[in-house]
Amino acid sequence: MNSDTVEGKWKQIKGEAKVQWGKLTDDDLDVAAGHKDKLSGKIQERYGKSKEEADREVDAFYSKY
């Protein structure tokens, strides 16, 4: 599934993202709204990960859908 599809189904898969990244708040996920770069940025913020590491996690998450 490409990022456009994820953005379109974000409300449905937001719960899965919350399970994977429990430190992200509902507000964080609402701001990200399925946008890969925003989600990656929030993961970097909350978990202190590098951009590359967060991008890899988001890519792996998106590949499930």
Side-chain angles (χ1 to χ4, degrees), residues 41-58:
K42 290 296 181 183
I43 292 167
Q44 290 174 58
E45 232 176 80
R46 297 285 184 219
Y47 288 90
K49 296 184 179 222
S50 70
K51 178 172 177 23
E52 294 77 20
E53 190 175 8
D55 286 344
R56 278 194 302 273
E57 287 186 17
V58 171

Side-chain angles (χ1 to χ4, degrees), residues 12-52:
Q12 296 170 347
I13 62 173
K14 183 170 113 174
E16 297 293 326
K18 187 151 178 108
V19 169
Q20 181 157 345
W21 298 291
K23 290 183 181 180
L24 296 181
T25 65
D26 286 333
D27 287 342
D28 290 337
L29 294 170
D30 289 342
V31 167
H35 297 277
K36 288 175 83 169
D37 56 337
K38 290 181 183 178
L39 181 57
S40 179
K42 290 296 181 183
I43 292 167
Q44 290 174 58
E45 232 176 80
R46 297 285 184 219
Y47 288 90
K49 296 184 179 222
S50 70
K51 178 172 177 23
E52 294 77 20

